[in-house]
Amino acid sequence: MLPTAFEIHDMTVAYNRRPVLWDIDLEIPEGKLVGIVGPNGAGKTTLIKAALGLVPLASGKVEIYGKNYRQQRHLVGYVPQRESVDWDFPVTVRDVVLMGTYGQLGWFRRPGKAQRAIADRCLQQVGITPLANRQIRQLSGGQQQRVFLARALAQDAQLYFLDEPFSGVDAATESAIFELLHQLRSTGKTVLVVHHDLQTVRDYFDYVILLNMRLVACGPVETSFTNENLQMTYGGRLTILDEAAEAMRQREPER
Amino acid sequence: MLWTALVTMISDMTALTLLAEVSGGASDSWFWIVLTGAATNIACALVGCFLVLRRMSMMGDALSHAVLPGLVVAFLFSGSLNIVPLFLGAVVVGLLTTFLMQTLHQYARVPSDASMGVVFTSMFALGVVLIKKFVSGHFDLACVYEGSLELVVLAETVVGLPRPLFTTLVVLVVNLLVLILLWKELKITSFDPALATTMGISATGMHYLLMALVAVTSVASFEAVGSILVVAMLIVPAATAHLLSDRLAVMVPISAAVGVLASVLGYVAARHWDTRIAGMMTVAAGVLFALTVFFSPRYGICSTVVSNLRMSLRVLREDLLAMLYRVEELDRAKRLTPAEAREAIGGGWLSRWSVAALRREGRVIMDGPQLQLTDIGRESARRMVRSHRLWETYLVEHLGMPLDHVHEPAHRVEHFIDEQMAQELKANVDSSKQDPHGRAIPE
Amino acid sequence: MSPQLCLETLILGTLWIDTLSLTQKVMIGTALLGGMAGVVGSFAVLRGRSLVGDMLAHAALPGVCLAFLILGSRNLLELSLGALISGLLAIGIVAMLVRWTRTKQDAAIGIVLSTFFGLGVVLLSVIQKPHIGGNKAGLDSYLFGEPANMLSSDLVFLAAVATVVLLVVAVFFKEFKLACFDADFAQSQGWPTLLLDMAMMSALAVVTIVGLPIVGVVLMAAMIILPASTARCWTNRLHIMLLLAAGFGVAAGVLGTRLGRGLPAGATIVLTAAAFFVVSLLFAPQRGLLAKVIAELQLRKRIASEHLLRALYELNEPSLPQRVPVPIQQIQESRHWRSLPKLLAAEVESGLIERTGGNVLLTSLGMRRAVELTRAHRLWEMYLMQHAGIAADHVDRDADDVEHLLPAALLLELEQQLAATGRLPETITEVPDSPHELGGGPGASP
């Protein structure tokens, strides 16, 4: 039996008191490549952010290798959405990748030779070594995504969270990234990827989390990525769920 | 159009002058000071509302500083402090400033706030140097900052009005006219510039028009209140009004009223403590804003806190009722004592209050040492339990959630399900008789 | 360095300061201010907080007045402390307004800025009453700055602040950089982003406030923004940007003081800084507007030339491998040209075409280029159609836009990709069916 890498218990997340994730409960064994799939506004990004402690939980808990996230931070690598940063920021590609090592460095210590070596290795892994000294705005969308991936690799984590790494990237990058994720898995890492191209789910992932405000299914692709579950995930708006969430946000007395 | 308005206004002015004389004679300066302050405030509030809604409040600050070199140059060319060339200078420089900011942002990728800061501070520095170099005798620099509303009465008069007041009134009328004539255009370009452009209303044009108005308004207000306090008059009443209303057509008059109130209060306070009037008007506006922040009926902090507290208390009371109902349902004979009930919903003074409140409302009565639901209490408890169980059924049937994960969400949601939603739920679930745990869903 | 030595250096330094003339003191003071403003300003500009400096400067006024009223002193340190407290209070209020009410950031800044300043004006008028005993000059300098008042003690104070601020930035450089660039990522790694943010803000507040008596309220805001924006034009590295910003700040301080004799020093310093900014904006090597315009023009010229060659190739295609003269009229009709005669003249100049009467003939060099270009273009078209799933009728336009931006390496890769899967189209493999003069040019298929 594989150890559990990532576990969520009874987690509810609310923005402005409006619930966006209802009572999620799931468990991911180590060494899986996991796709997080669901329609827009299903709470995929929120799931990741909640797992990383970036948004507060209304209830429930998140565990990484059996312990609280705070204690296990060093085991976690994160690739945020590409739009989340200012690409005009005056840093080079290598600078950004070096940021992945900051966590291990701790306060005050500067990245030295060892860290630069790590960064160079990660750059090479994602195939953008020649671009190391470019300013990040001068890259294409796919290249920018590779930079973020390299930064996550430099974190040298056990568990990776990737938020839409395939959005706005070219086909070559997509397959390169996927190749890399496979390599990670083969070295025993667990990778969770927010994804919304349903056609590639079967090819890319061996585990899938189907999400639409609540957990529809979580399990191996063969058993969980079924038409019936997809129907449940994508089939129509959950009007009543929406209405209830809205009522909770407004807190209008019912009588 | 403009000129007829001006003529009407001037005849109105004569009426006002008469009014002033009636109300205490020309020697009484307070009337003019308050009037000037109020007119400035209204003129500012009219354009300020759009600045606040367009999230360009700092443009007020930027423009009121940036027009300085325009004023100096206009003065140098015309050789007088006549308002027409001054306004021209202000409009030209104001538009130039707006243009430069946009260009820097668009073509040189300077962040928008930085480009604003770069342009207006440089323009202001230029103005300061020009003043020192050419016109140091005519412009009081400190006045640029503070203004001197006190001196309004000493200024020469135009058509029987002190010049600053006259200037401000002209601007007020212009602002009002633009607002009335271009109301829907301003509204739509502020709300959705892209849509406006597709409808043939130039968002850029309206932007520049608004900026020109801001420039003119701040110049008109310079003499009376100075370049920074004019920022307060542009933004504070508008932001106050924004906290009080949800409609633009309501927000504009409210902001004007707040401006007038601030001028009156400011004047009284300044006289009382014998300090600067313009400064005190600003402080008064700030105080009004602060009061609104706390006590606005819908968006105030107090009302939010109170409604949150009310909500928690309601939830607690309803949880208590539902619990009593369930106990009754399980075992017709079993009843809880108040202490047991309080313990079950978390204890503390809130639970004590809840039990007391339920008794006061007559939803619960004491039956010996135990709590007993009254008919009204049982009715509301029944509705609560019904919502809870319908919701559980819905979650299991429609969302495929596992049985052991539906209680918690249902417990959260049950307080927010109104009759209509309950009907909807009932129509949506197959087994409206029993919940997934096999318990009856009350009718 | 032993403590004794330190002390001696310090004493010597103080003595040295006393030997300076006023102008020199002012210059050193403004240089120190410019330097630190550039450094902390860089972080503010990069975080999109350029106007916070403006707000701080205005919001400091009531603090200064209160400090004077309560402590009754004109001591720079005490007044600055008062300013700092009200500045930080202002930041706090803005944060709370944005968090707790529907008032947006910009309005919140404007409200706090102007209301605090109004309060300051009121307090100032209280101070200026004769029985309180304040005189206008000392506090008025907070409005416009009075660098000429600089005492030796002020200079020591400035130097101390500069040292502390620069040390803080140097020590926390890595952390500030991370929190500035990607706060979410920083937080996921466990960095206290809120604290780091507050540290950056406090540094900004301290610098703004020590600068107030030197350059004045509005112009202090300029000192925060201008050197940083100037430096940004020149570099793509954060540490270089910080150094450059400090340099521009120092230079603006020194030059501005020097050039502005008889004029308000604050204003001339800011105008100097603005001049640096304008020059950098226009002439900086990569991000400068001039460089951009030149690059754009060159690109446009290259694109036009490539369009011409491709058009000529296509017109030649039916009769390949024979090169044939093409009537200008036919070229004119083949697509929309901006100015064909000029373009033709330029191409004749570079030896790619020959003109005979109303006809145009590709030279062998021109043909070789045309083959290359057409091949690249068609490769790209194929790639877009097969990989990117773009509707076929849009392909031509996209290819026109993009082929000029593609590096040679990628083109090669595309070709290999297509060839490897046997999808290199017939028409393209035939392109190198080149005229015999070429003798297997670079367009030849392997």
Side-chain angles (χ1 to χ4, degrees):
Chain A
M1 188 68 207
L2 290 165
T4 302
F6 176 57
E7 204 172 351
I8 293 180
H9 286 295
D10 299 333
M11 180 179 79
T12 297
V13 183
Y15 283 129
N16 272 335
R17 300 183 301 218
R18 184 195 166 116
V20 280
L21 288 175
W22 299 74
D23 211 75
I24 305 288
D25 206 62
L26 56 85
E27 218 171 285
I28 306 287
E30 187 177 40
K32 297 288 179 209
L33 193 48
V34 187
I36 304 177
V37 179
N40 284 332
K44 294 170 300 210
T45 297
T46 306
L47 183 79
I48 285 191
K49 289 200 163 176
L52 292 168
L54 298 177
V55 294
L57 308 185
S59 68
K61 63 179 178 179
V62 175
E63 282 184 353
I64 285 153
Y65 283 101
K67 283 188 192 155
N68 186 327
Y69 173 71
R70 277 174 185 284
Q71 297 158 280
Q72 304 286 55
R73 220 169 236 150
H74 57 281
L75 295 179
V76 174
Y78 176 40
V79 177
Q81 282 184 15
R82 200 150 48 85
E83 297 77 35
S84 66
V85 302
D86 171 15
W87 289 93
D88 216 10
F89 202 83
V91 284
T92 61
V93 169
R94 183 181 280 114
D95 288 337
V96 175
V97 178
L98 271 174
M99 286 177 188
T101 65
Y102 285 8
Q104 296 141 32
L105 275 175
W107 289 94
F108 309 125
R109 273 181 56 209
R110 294 293 163 81
K113 258 206 188 105
Q115 282 72 32
R116 269 197 290 277
I118 294 176
D120 285 341
R121 203 192 62 227
C122 298
L123 279 169
Q124 203 187 352
Q125 258 179 296
V126 301
I128 50 172
T129 309
L131 307 175
N133 290 316
R134 292 264 193 101
Q135 198 266 331
I136 49 176
R137 196 192 178 86
Q138 299 161 358
L139 308 179
S140 71
Q143 289 164 339
Q144 289 179 343
Q145 198 64 61
R146 291 179 194 217
V147 176
F148 265 8
L149 200 59
R151 179 175 71 173
L153 290 179
Q155 286 185 276
D156 192 21
Q158 283 299 313
L159 178 62
Y160 287 92
F161 291 95
L162 284 73
D163 202 348
E164 308 215 359
F166 302 118
S167 88
V169 306
D170 52 290
T173 303
E174 178 158 342
S175 57
I177 292 177
F178 174 61
E179 198 54 43
L180 203 71
L181 298 184
H182 255 270
Q183 280 174 30
L184 282 176
R185 182 185 56 177
S186 62
T187 54
K189 318 272 185 187
T190 313
V191 184
L192 283 88
V193 182
V194 171
H195 192 65
H196 52 212
D197 181 7
L198 290 178
Q199 298 183 346
T200 48
V201 169
R202 268 179 211 287
D203 305 332
Y204 281 3
F205 303 109
D206 34 33
Y207 230 73
V208 68
I209 296 174
L210 286 168
L211 205 65
N212 188 1
M213 295 173 77
R214 88 291 184 190
L215 183 73
V216 175
C218 169
V221 170
E222 307 84 60
T223 53
S224 296
F225 195 66
T226 57
N227 272 340
E228 193 191 343
N229 281 340
L230 277 176
Q231 196 64 41
M232 297 255 290
T233 317
Y234 286 86
R237 296 290 297 151
L238 304 163
T239 24
I240 295 186
L241 213 57
D242 269 344
E243 268 172 44
E246 190 52 28
M248 290 174 80
R249 188 180 71 82
Q250 293 186 342
R251 295 216 155 176
E252 267 163 15
E254 70 185 278
R255 62 194 81 111
Chain B
M1 181 71 205
L2 187 73
W3 287 113
T4 36
L6 272 181
V7 171
T8 353
M9 194 194 69
I10 287 164
S11 49
D12 283 354
M13 292 301 102
T14 337
L16 278 175
T17 325
L18 285 174
L19 190 74
E21 272 161 13
V22 171
S23 65
S27 63
D28 231 356
S29 59
W30 70 268
F31 178 78
W32 294 120
I33 294 175
V34 172
L35 199 59
T36 312
T40 314
N41 257 315
I42 297 174
C44 287
L46 292 182
V47 288
C49 284
F50 290 96
L51 285 182
V52 167
L53 290 178
R54 287 169 172 238
R55 307 197 182 177
M56 293 180 174
S57 307
M58 290 310 279
M59 278 307 275
D61 185 32
L63 284 177
S64 67
H65 286 92
V67 292
L68 193 60
L71 297 187
V72 181
V73 171
F75 175 73
L76 285 175
F77 273 109
S78 69
S80 73
L81 283 170
N82 194 324
I83 59 164
V84 178
L86 286 190
F87 278 3
L88 267 180
V91 169
V92 170
V93 175
L95 294 182
L96 179 71
T97 310
T98 315
F99 172 76
L100 281 179
M101 286 175 193
Q102 290 214 322
T103 314
L104 273 187
H105 179 51
Q106 257 172 21
Y107 295 101
R109 291 215 311 265
V110 180
S112 60
D113 59 334
S115 70
M116 182 188 282
V118 162
V119 176
F120 93 80
T121 54
S122 306
M123 292 289 240
F124 186 76
L126 184 67
V128 170
V129 168
L130 286 177
I131 287 179
K132 267 276 154 43
K133 198 112 192 169
F134 300 109
V135 288
S136 45
H138 298 275
F139 277 59
D140 180 7
L141 256 185
C143 206
V144 170
Y145 269 109
E146 304 170 45
S148 44
L149 209 45
E150 291 80 354
L151 306 180
V152 161
V153 261
L154 301 181
E156 74 269 35
T157 53
V158 185
V159 287
L161 296 168
R163 194 174 38 78
L165 177 58
F166 177 73
T167 325
T168 317
L169 282 173
V170 172
V171 173
L172 171 57
V173 170
V174 171
N175 285 353
L176 205 56
L177 276 179
V178 172
L179 237 63
I180 291 169
L181 292 177
L182 295 175
W183 176 259
K184 72 172 189 306
E185 284 83 358
L186 277 169
K187 191 169 168 178
I188 191 158
T189 50
S190 302
F191 175 63
D192 188 347
L195 176 70
T197 310
T198 60
M199 289 163 63
I201 300 166
S202 161
T204 326
M206 295 312 287
H207 177 63
Y208 277 95
L209 174 69
L210 192 62
M211 292 306 124
L213 286 185
V214 172
V216 168
T217 310
S218 52
V219 170
S221 324
F222 247 38
E223 198 166 353
V225 296
S227 70
I228 303 194
L229 303 187
V230 76
V231 179
M233 300 194 166
L234 282 168
I235 305 171
V236 183
T240 312
H242 190 43
L243 289 177
L244 290 169
S245 70
D246 284 324
R247 285 186 54 213
L248 184 58
V250 182
M251 180 178 160
V252 172
I254 290 186
S255 68
V258 170
V260 172
L261 192 57
S263 357
V264 174
L265 291 177
Y267 180 81
V268 173
R271 274 286 168 272
H272 186 259
W273 284 295
D274 189 20
T275 59
R276 299 299 288 266
I277 298 169
M280 216 58 205
M281 285 181 177
T282 315
V283 175
V287 170
L288 289 178
F289 176 75
L291 287 175
T292 317
V293 163
F294 284 106
F295 303 114
S296 160
R298 184 170 304 173
Y299 300 108
I301 290 175
C302 284
S303 77
T304 315
V305 169
V306 167
S307 83
N308 278 353
L309 185 65
R310 243 212 215 115
M311 193 63 230
S312 331
L313 288 175
R314 205 192 89 198
V315 167
L316 220 52
R317 273 188 334 239
E318 290 177 355
D319 283 349
L320 196 63
L321 280 179
M323 191 182 62
L324 293 174
Y325 182 90
R326 289 198 181 95
V327 169
E328 214 177 271
E329 188 185 47
L330 276 176
D331 180 356
R332 289 238 153 240
K334 178 123 171 54
R335 296 289 179 271
L336 294 180
T337 64
E340 283 168 336
R342 284 204 303 269
E343 200 53 46
I345 57 167
W349 68 272
L350 283 176
S351 63
R352 193 176 293 271
W353 185 91
S354 303
V355 174
L358 284 179
R359 288 176 61 191
R360 208 167 44 241
E361 291 160 3
R363 294 206 257 183
V364 169
I365 46 167
M366 290 304 283
D367 178 19
Q370 289 164 329
L371 288 171
Q372 165 83 39
L373 284 168
T374 64
D375 286 345
I376 323 164
R378 192 168 297 112
E379 170 60 19
S380 36
R382 187 190 58 79
R383 264 192 292 186
M384 205 56 54
V385 172
R386 176 164 175 255
S387 299
H388 183 99
R389 292 182 182 166
L390 277 173
W391 189 255
E392 284 188 341
T393 318
Y394 173 76
L395 288 184
V396 170
E397 279 185 13
H398 278 255
L399 306 185
M401 284 176 69
L403 263 185
D404 52 338
H405 284 283
V406 291
H407 175 76
E408 172 66 17
H411 189 64
R412 248 167 223 279
V413 165
E414 62 187 16
H415 309 282
F416 302 93
I417 308 235
D418 55 15
E419 197 43 48
Q420 188 203 339
M421 212 189 289
Q423 291 296 340
E424 224 175 302
L425 278 170
K426 199 177 160 208
N428 263 294
V429 297
D430 298 332
S431 57
S432 57
K433 296 275 182 259
Q434 274 195 342
D435 77 357
H437 306 288
R439 287 173 302 223
I441 297 175
E443 261 318 301
Chain C
M1 220 169 15
S2 70
Q4 201 179 1
L5 203 63
C6 275
L7 201 65
E8 272 170 28
T9 331
L10 209 66
I11 292 169
L12 271 180
T14 323
L15 287 178
W16 173 71
I17 287 174
D18 278 332
T19 64
L20 296 172
S21 73
L22 180 62
T23 331
Q24 283 167 322
K25 274 187 215 164
V26 172
M27 225 177 261
I28 294 175
T30 49
L32 280 170
L33 176 66
M36 53 184 168
V39 172
V40 297
S42 296
F43 287 111
V45 167
L46 289 176
R47 285 226 79 176
R49 300 225 169 104
S50 307
L51 295 174
V52 172
D54 189 32
M55 182 194 70
L56 276 168
H58 286 97
L61 187 61
V64 175
C65 296
L66 276 180
F68 179 83
L69 280 175
I70 294 168
L71 304 171
S73 81
R74 277 190 53 204
N75 179 310
L76 187 62
L77 186 64
E78 282 162 14
L79 293 188
S80 300
L81 220 57
L84 188 62
I85 291 170
S86 76
L88 293 179
L89 185 68
I91 293 181
I93 293 180
V94 168
M96 285 200 283
L97 281 179
V98 174
R99 173 81 183 73
W100 295 109
T101 73
R102 58 173 2 199
T103 305
K104 304 293 181 301
Q105 169 112 3
D106 61 317
I109 290 181
I111 291 165
V112 172
L113 176 158
S114 53
T115 311
F116 268 58
F117 192 79
L119 188 62
V121 167
V122 168
L123 290 172
L124 208 55
S125 69
V126 172
I127 290 172
Q128 280 159 12
K129 279 175 201 160
H131 63 94
I132 308 266
N135 68 355
K136 204 166 161 11
L139 289 155
D140 237 20
S141 74
Y142 258 91
L143 290 183
F144 288 96
E146 216 44 82
N149 285 348
M150 196 158 321
L151 307 172
S152 301
S153 60
D154 297 347
L155 208 53
V156 174
F157 177 57
L158 268 176
V161 173
T163 317
V164 172
V165 167
L166 295 183
L167 263 179
V168 167
V169 171
V171 168
F172 292 100
F173 177 70
K174 182 184 86 198
E175 287 78 10
F176 284 174
K177 180 173 165 181
L178 183 63
C180 255
F181 173 62
D182 193 344
D184 266 4
F185 181 79
Q187 208 186 330
S188 83
Q189 277 199 339
W191 297 103
T193 42
L194 190 68
L195 274 180
L196 288 170
D197 218 33
M198 272 159 56
M200 279 187 272
M201 282 288 217
S202 309
L204 181 68
V206 168
V207 172
T208 308
I209 276 146
V210 298
L212 281 181
I214 302 174
V215 292
V217 172
V218 176
L219 304 178
M220 191 55 228
M223 289 308 287
I224 297 287
I225 307 171
L226 276 167
S229 305
T230 312
R232 185 67 191 91
C233 297
W234 293 93
T235 176
N236 281 327
R237 305 295 303 272
L238 183 59
H239 60 277
I240 301 178
M241 176 177 167
L242 292 183
L243 291 177
L244 279 178
F248 282 120
V250 169
V254 173
L255 282 178
T257 327
R258 219 190 164 87
L259 297 174
R261 299 248 162 95
L263 294 170
T268 57
I269 292 171
V270 170
L271 284 182
T272 318
F276 286 152
F277 176 70
V278 171
V279 169
S280 308
L281 199 62
L282 293 178
F283 303 113
Q286 264 184 20
R287 294 171 65 99
L289 288 181
L290 195 66
K292 273 188 204 158
V293 169
I294 290 175
E296 174 70 29
L297 286 180
Q298 277 172 346
L299 182 68
R300 227 182 256 175
K301 209 171 128 194
R302 218 185 78 208
I303 290 177
S305 142
E306 293 182 358
H307 281 162
L308 178 66
L309 288 176
R310 234 179 53 227
L312 281 170
Y313 176 83
E314 274 159 13
L315 292 169
N316 265 296
E317 209 166 13
S319 58
L320 282 175
Q322 197 62 42
R323 283 183 287 138
V324 293
V326 181
I328 290 187
Q329 189 57 35
Q330 220 178 332
I331 302 175
Q332 186 75 54
E333 282 160 6
S334 69
R335 64 178 296 138
H336 174 74
W337 302 98
R338 204 179 279 256
S339 77
L340 190 57
K342 240 167 115 185
L343 184 57
L344 288 174
E347 297 304 277
V348 172
E349 185 95 341
S350 40
L352 295 172
I353 57 171
E354 282 161 5
R355 288 185 67 165
T356 46
N359 291 334
V360 173
L361 179 67
L362 278 168
T363 64
S364 60
L365 180 67
M367 181 51 102
R368 201 194 303 211
R369 282 281 294 141
V371 167
E372 243 173 69
L373 287 170
T374 312
R375 195 176 125 269
H377 179 81
R378 291 187 182 168
L379 271 169
W380 181 247
E381 268 181 356
M382 288 310 297
Y383 174 75
L384 283 185
M385 278 198 293
Q386 296 181 353
H387 287 263
I390 291 177
D393 53 339
H394 288 159
V395 162
D396 191 53
R397 237 193 37 232
D398 273 339
D400 278 13
D401 293 341
V402 181
E403 68 169 300
H404 310 290
L405 304 169
L406 274 185
L410 181 61
L411 284 175
L412 202 69
E413 197 185 302
L414 287 180
E415 186 190 13
Q416 280 165 351
Q417 258 178 29
L418 289 174
T421 51
R423 284 188 293 179
L424 198 60
E426 219 53 29
T427 50
I428 291 175
T429 34
E430 277 172 10
V431 165
D433 244 0
S434 48
H436 54 273
E437 296 99 307
L438 284 180
S445 61

